[in-house]
Each structure stands twice: as structure tokens, then as C-alpha cells.
Amino acid sequence: MTSEAVNTAAGGSTATGTGADTIVDAGTRGVGANVGRPDGVPKVQGRFAFSSDLWADDFLWGHTLRSPHASALIRGIDIGPAVAMAGVYAVLLADDVPGCLTYGLEHGDQPALADGQVRYVGEPVALVAADHPDIARRAAEAIVVDYEVTEPVTDAEAAPTADPIHPDGNIFREIAIRHGDLDVTGEVVVEGVYEVGMQDQAFMGPESGMALPDEDGSVELFVSTQWLHVDREQIAACLGIDEEKVRLTLAGVGGAFGAREDLSLQVHLCLLALHTGKPVKMVYSRDESFLGHVHRHPAKMWYRHHADRCGRLVKVEARIVLDGGAYASTSSAVIANASCFAAGPYKVPAAHIVGLAARTNNPPCGAMRGFGAVQTCFGHESQMDKLAAALDMDPVELRLLNAIAPGDRLVTGQVITGTFPTAEVIRQCAYAPEPEIPPSDDRRDLPGGSGRTTDAADTVRGTGFAVGFKNLMFSEGYDDYSSAACRVSDGVATITCACAEVGQGFVTLAQQIARTELGVDEVILAPAQTATIGSAGSSSASRQTWMSGGAVQAACREVRTQILADMAADWGVSPDGLVLRDGLVVSLDGQQEALLAQVTAGAGYEADVEYHHAPTEPLDENGQGNAHVSFACAAHRATVDVDPDLGLVRVRDITTAQDVGRILNPTQAVGQIEGGIAQGLGLALMEEIVLDDGLVRNASFTDYVIPTTLDMPDVTIAAFVEEPEPGAPYGAKGIGEPPTISSSAAIAAAVRAATGQPLPRIPIRPADIALG
Amino acid sequence: MSDVVVARSLDEAQGALADHPGATVLAGGTDLMVEINRGLRRPSHVVGVAQVPELRQWSIADDRVIVGGGVTYTEMMTTPLADAAPALAQAARTVGSPPIRNAGTLGGNLGTASPAGDTLPVLAALNAKIVVVGPDGERRMALDDFVVGVKRTSLRPGELIVRAEMDRPAGRQEFLKIGPRNAMVISMAGLALVADHDARAVRCALGAVAAGIPRARVAEAWVAERIDWDNGAGVDDEVAAEFGQRVAAASSPIDDHRSTAAYRRHAVAVLATRALKRAFTEEGAADA
């Protein structure tokens, strides 16, 4: 299969500045070129097979019975009425889990099925397999669970002193960062308390998959996920079988954004398939999806910034409380990120930052695009604006004065050794031309949009600016390596990698890399699976371009070395004088040339590599250490029109600049930036899981709203700031998360500028503006 | 599984409903199918009416507009119906996305009878009569008598919503609606206001701020006396602001996951003030 590249125009955006003219290998279908996605056209045409489209002969439908209570003891479960229903093949409870009952990404504290107790609304209690999805659903409803409801713990700040709701206690992690002279005080001090609501990843494709049992007791699982191998590890432990007996293949993923990093239905599908001996499929409904995956941690943050009279930061104090919900998920890493990046991309000589991730009876929270940095960016950028006001200083100048640069230390003591052009990113974004927003009578351009609430005369305009950053790859000593195999046979390259394509564009990039490294045009990307290739790590943490891109590059280079060595021996020349290009092996002196298809005829050449990033180390008891591999920053300038009487907002423009290292595919870069900004806009203005004593009140796209085309403004990319990152393949940094980190804070700042309201909480609700 | 009858005529629909008076009527399905897909409803009998020609009809006369229960939001947004009942078109435009508006119908909006039903304040402000047919023949009633509570109607078993007959007054019509984003929203507060220059009346009705669809009758009467009907029908800012407060007094909103009572009451006042000023003092901005 060759990719059918179709170049799609980057909708509505302009890419200018240092980006487009310094790409690595423009004009080909290799690295740096605007190669279209192989899955782009099928997705647009509705022909792409998502995990919800899986089909097999004689399969059953699975369904999950979930807890209606945030906290309850289970006194008994009567599955009799469900088992008695025609068409029901299995009803499974916690006792039917043959291996380890609990799983988890960092701490295995989450039961695959509730065992005597439920700790959040939506916790899986029982599984049903039936020959029709509606029968499975009805059978689940027929199960009688005798609950003894108990008082839930729903306040993260109160959780540490409340009675433990889990044997592991109510604290996932407390972290303290003590950096520099903590007794120092500034001449100017500003203080603030900020809050971020619980955002959902709101991917379009709900959790779905299919498990197929084998006669030897093994199971094959097709599923949409972010990390096949860590799924396999957890599934095998719960099933009590060897990992080799669990084979995963990535099914078509309809978005992820962190929500597919934890297990959802993986263990359940395999249990039902092995129990019934039949293929079993599950597709969550939209409502169920909101209960079936982790969310972004809601945050409460107290900040005190100290600066000298000129605006130089002297000290940052912060206390951050994240509500982790009922189970650990990645809370301990999220609070580490939130704390490490709490001061923003600034030179801060002294910092005292205390972070707490607490367990409550709210829905579990875990990974979401930005991973802790989003919450604290809203805090530190709100503080920087407050500080600028206290100093009577331009907020952009204040940021430039304090911008961190290579050679500076983070509050964790780590010296920035890679590229980190924070000041350039700030300048490129803040000093980009003001957007041209022509006056419009069309109410769709005004706050309230199609609701016709607002005339131009009812609006005030505001502009806000924010900059944020985060780590690339996993941190604190974690070796999140990737694996890839490359085979070149008959002149065609085949790449095998378990990297989960969740929409980020790896399927395109892997082919671009192989073309560039091997001088071939035809590149086959084998399915992502666990049977024949090692882990690629997670499609998260802005890491796959670097890590799996690096693995593919290394595998291709290994094959290239083998081919050139053989040809050099054949021709009696040095391999240094040979290259692969245009489907040929050629010597640079022009004396030798051979068709790669002939050179690699038959078995061809093959290499299988593991790619590791530079090691990191854990944080010490003062939160100090070289815990992170690399960093990337982005800045956003938001221009908004606000109807202050009704509290309605129309974002008119987002201008951005981003530290990208190198752009490997301009169109995909624009896509990441526009999509990330849309998610940031959602968090700023509308996206929030509303909870009432642990109960999700808006588990639907009717009431959990995400931006529409009438909410999303034009995005102006003022610059891709390209300073190649040493050690990164092609110098490219991951670009998926920075667009989401500071866009929310910039929009909030713009609404503040328009209204004069303090607005210490996102999402900003109409009443927050209109009623102060 | 449901027993489904797809009616091809009003007679067939009535016959099917007579056979199963408890049957659920399916028009565009934009409310019903959501509930079925969520497992909230499992109707034993369904009568599909999307292909009943009599329900798809509409007509425009000098003094009134008649819209069949099967007329879609998209059709309400389209000339000439949109010109004859502008507020109905404005309200229809705020419903969902284009595919939803292609499927959803006026009769469905009435049958669901949600306080947040977007066309309902328009019907109330246009003095609409809701016409239903059933085993006992035809009944006509005001919206107040049709919507009797949150998602509750006075439809009797076997009855079917046939059409709404509304006024076509001389004067501007305004529909305004607030949601948590700029399109595709369930109403947090909505308002329809109609100027009737012949009757020298203002009619104003509210959505999503009470159990029903209240008319702000006290405010209507108050403001009608303060409009200079003979000389350009202007209204000054203080009157408009006071009108807003008086309209808000007709609301009885609640706190829920979508908004707060305090915001809804405040928003209704702002919407009423703006709607009145648009209807009586402005040429009006281009409509979305």
C-alpha cells in the first residue's frame, strides 16, 4: 500500500516567518514537505474504519453496568434476572477477574470491576455479553445491586484530612519545590487565587473495540488506544496470563487527547471474549464515554509573585491542589508537571511551590493535552498580568524581561541545555501585526452568534497575551523508549512501529522519514501491534515525533548502513562515498549507480531498533533535579469581543508563535496548532464537566459544549520559531501540546482587558462577566 | 422492539393512533431518537409522521400564517415563510446544526414541550393556536393551554399535532436566545417580541426561564402605553430598560447545570430591552 498523498490547504491560516523557508528537505515527499495524510481523504469521505466499525462472524456485544453512586458499599449483587434473559451469554463480576483485580498506569489501584465498594459515579460494576447491544444493555439494567450509599468526599482540599476512601489513602502525591533563597521578598508583591474547571478531552470516536479469543487461551484485541504495550501489560495482569497471550492491534482511533492513555474497556472485552469463547465488541455511547475515561484535573491555585521595582521576578510562591478523583491514573505525574512548570517560562531565582493531587469520589482525572501545565499556565499568566498592572508596566515587556533562555535554571534547578527561544516566541507573537477585523453587521461575528443577542454597539474589545511551556517526553527518570523496524525489499520500505496514530500524523511522518533516509518513494507502514514489535511508548507528552520518529529514523539509517556497506564492498569503494537517493544507490563521484530495487531484491535488508532519549532523574525532596528531557513553549495573543451585559464572548483572532525546533510537515503543524487552540478556547469559555456531589450533570454533547465554527476564530501563525533542538531527530520538537497551554490564559486575559473584571476562574461563564 | 407504523396520510396517522392511543409520534426524531439512544425511552408503538403530506403544508394569508406540524426548521428559515414569520425563522436558525434543522419540525418542538423549545416563545408571542386532531375530532388551543408543564402537554391519547395558526401582525419581530456558545445550543434564556402596529400592542414571551412559556403581559401593557404609535413608534432608553425589568418579573427561573436563576433573570431583562429597541427604534442590523 502506498500512501495516496493529497495536499490539503491549511485552512484559513498563514504560516510565515522563520518557518517555511528553512525546512529540511522541501520539494520531495520526504521530511519537511507538505505531504498529505494517507488517512485524510478516507476520513473526510467517511470511509475510514474506526474501532467502532469492527465486525466479525458470530460476535457478541458487551455492555458495562456502572455505579450510580459516588460512594457506596456493595452488599450484594443478583445477576439472576440478567442471566435468565434470552440472548445473554455472560454476566461477569469482580470475582470473575482471574488475575490481578486492579490496574493503573502508575499505581494499580483501580479495580477492573468494583469489589465490594464503588468510589465514583460510572465505576464499572458488572459486564454483560449478549447477542444484541440492546439486550446487553437491558440485561445490565436487570442486574440488582444492593448498595449502601455513603457520604462522598468531593472536595480535594478537604480530602487529605477526610477518612480514607481507598486503602492507599486520599493523597496521590504531595510535592514541594524549594529553590533559591526562600526568605527573599520582592518590592512588589501580587497575590491571587485561581481555579480551573474539569475539562473533558471530548474526542469524537467513543471508546470501542473488539476482542477475539483463541483456542489456546490467548486473546486478540483490536482497540483504539494511545499505547498498545502498556495496555497489554495491564490486561495480561488482570487476565492472569502471559503478555505474549494478549495480542493488541490498533484499530481506527477517533481522537484521544490523553483520554485513551488509561484502560477503559480493554480488560472487559478480553474477559468477556475468553469467558464466552466468542468475539465480543463494545462501543460506549456518548453519555457512557463521559463516565468511561479520565478528565483534565480541576485545579485550585494560590499564587504570590515577588518582583523588584524594575519588574524582575524575585520569588514565586504557589500552592496547587488538583482533584485526582477516585483512582490514581497519572495524577502523580500531572501534579509534578503542574508544580515544575508553575512559575512559567521565566527566570525565577527563588520559588516555593507546593503541589497536592488528592483522591476524591469525583470522576478519575488523568492525562489531557498539556498535562498539568495548562492549569498552572492560567495561574502564572494571570499573575504576570497582575504584576504588570502593579508595576504599571507593559505585560509583554514584563514577560520579555523575565523570559527564560538556554543556560538559565528552572525552579527545579535544571539548567536549560537545549534550545528554548522564549523571548523570540514572545516577540514574534506579541509584535505581530494587529489582526484586521473588519466591522461586521453579521451577528454570527458577534458575541451570542446565531442567538442574535448582541449588536456591535453592545460589545467591547479586549486583547490578552500569554506564554506557556512544558516538557517533551516523560520525566523523572522514566525511560519511555520507542521501537521501530525497517525492511527494504525490492526497493520498497516497510516500517513497523507500535506508535498509536491518534490523529497526530505519525502515519504521514513515518513515511516522510523513511523516504528521506532511504531515498525511496514507496513506503509501507505496517499496522501498529504488539506481536512483532516492541513498545513505542505513549502517543502523548508531545513525544512521538521525537521518539517514534527517532526510532524510525534510526531503523532506516541502520538499513541504509547495511546496504551501503554491501555495495561499497561490491564496488570496492568506501561506504562514505555512497548515498541512497531517488530509488538508487549512487556514489557521490558519479562512477557507480545501482537500482535499489535490484540491490534489495528478495529478502532485502532489515533492522529493528530501540530508541531512547537522554536519561532523566527523579526530583529530590526539594523538588530539584534534571527531571525533564526537553522543553517547548508557545505564545498566544487573543482578540475578543465581549458583550459585558450578557457576559457573552466572541473570540475574533488568535495570533500565535511557537517553538517548534523544526517543522517536518507544515500542514500537519498548522493542524496541531489550530486544534490545540480550539481546545484551549473551549477551556477558557465553555468546556466543563459539571459535578453535583460527584454526579456528572452534563454527560452529553448537548450540555458539555465544545467550540463550533462560530466560536473558533481565525488563527494567525505569526511564526514557527525554528531553532533545531540538539539530539532531536531533524531538530524537531513535539508541537501537539503547547497550543493548548497558553491559549486559554490569553483568552481569559483578553476578556479581562475588555471587561475590567478579575475573572479568576476558567471556563469563564456568562454569569461570571455579567453579574461580576 | 418497537412496532412502527409509517403513516403516508393524516388518515393513516390518525388510524394508527386510534389503534394504539399510547403510541409515540415520531416526526424528525431529533428529540425522540436521542432519548431512545440513551435508553431513556423504549416506546412499544411508534407512528412515523414525517411522510404525512397534510402536516408538511404551510400557508400565508394577510393576517395569519399557518404552519403544519411537519414543517422543518430549515423550511421555517426559508423565504417566503421566513418573511411572513421572521421571529419563527430566527428561532429556527438557533436550533442545532443544519442536519438537525433539516429533520426537526415545529410539531416536534411542540410535542416535546420543553421550556427551552426555541419556537415556543415565538408561537406564544404570535398568539398561536395549536390545532390537534384525535378520536374526538379537532381541538384548537392557545400555547398556554397546550404546554401545561415542563415537557408536559394537554394532548389526549390518540391526538396528533396538526398545525399552528399564528398572527401576522404589521411590525417587527425579534427572537433572541442565549446559550453557552455561539451556535448549536440549548437555550439558557430566550425571548420573542412582536410589535403589532395595527393593534398598537407589544407581545413578548419567554423561553427556558419558567416551567412553561410565560407571556410578559403586564410589561406588554405597560410598554404599549409608552410607545408613541402615531409618530414613528419610538421608544426611549429608560422605557426600554424599565420594560426589561418588568419582563424579567414574568420569569421564574431555576438554577441548573446550564445556568443560574440570577443570570437568567438578568439576561431576560437585557434581551427584552434590546428586543424592544430593535423593534421600535432601529432599522435593525442584518440578521444572521
Side-chain angles (χ1 to χ4, degrees), chain A residues 42 56 171 191 208 233 338 349-350 359 381 429 453 456 462 527 555 597 628 712:
Chain A
I171 296 173
E191 200 170 330
S208 45
E233 188 184 320
R359 188 195 303 271
E381 289 305 273
C429 178
T453 54
H628 308 295
M712 186 64 190

Side-chain angles (χ1 to χ4, degrees), chain A residues 72 95 162 226 316 347 359-360 387-388 472 536 553 570 644 663 744:
Chain A
D95 285 348
Q226 291 179 232
V316 173
K347 282 174 284 201
R359 188 195 303 271
T360 67
L387 184 60
L472 309 176
Q553 183 193 45
D570 269 14
I663 292 291
S744 305

